[in-house]
Amino acid sequence: MPITYEQVAGRAFLRQLYADAYYPDHVVDKARAILLRLCERIEAERPSDLAALYVLTHAATEEFNLLEAEFDTAGSEIETVAREEIGEDFWFVASAYGFSDADTEELIGTRNW
């Protein structure tokens, strides 16, 4: 399902990670795909409130938890810079879909990184 929100479709997700050689592009590509799937799910399911949104963002965060091993294998990790960049992109997504009052920490509340 293509993303229909122009603001989201035009977003360069994880820009800072792509700009830093410490984060391998092939793994960052997978991280970007997680964010795009989150957008697709939001558009398809249209969560009616923050609780419903958090269910979707927590599922996406669980995918990032699994991706941590791939970062490790590639000699990288989801550390402070990556954590902040990912959190900012989660907040951007929430805000773009009308949830500007979402709590960034709660959006990624199930993270283990």
Side-chain angles (χ1 to χ4, degrees), residues 3-88:
I3 295 170
T4 60
Y5 281 60
E6 286 184 36
Q7 179 184 15
V8 175
R11 173 76 171 196
F13 287 109
L14 305 172
R15 183 177 32 236
Q16 193 171 0
L17 303 188
Y18 280 113
D20 188 334
Y22 177 70
Y23 306 102
D25 284 353
H26 72 281
V27 183
V28 179
D29 288 344
K30 291 179 180 185
R32 181 179 174 272
I34 293 169
L35 291 167
L36 292 173
R37 280 193 304 275
L38 171 61
C39 295
E40 291 169 352
R41 284 193 68 192
I42 290 170
E43 289 189 20
E45 298 180 26
R46 301 199 183 276
S48 60
D49 58 20
L50 281 173
L53 175 69
Y54 291 147
V55 168
L56 300 179
T57 63
H58 289 173
T61 301
E62 292 296 330
E63 290 186 64
F64 271 97
N65 289 344
L66 296 173
L67 195 58
E68 173 83 28
E70 290 192 47
F71 275 102
D72 288 342
T73 299
S76 183
E77 65 180 308
I78 300 178
E79 42 68 71
T80 304
V81 171
R83 208 172 20 252
E84 289 177 8
E85 183 79 356
I86 294 164
E88 286 176 21

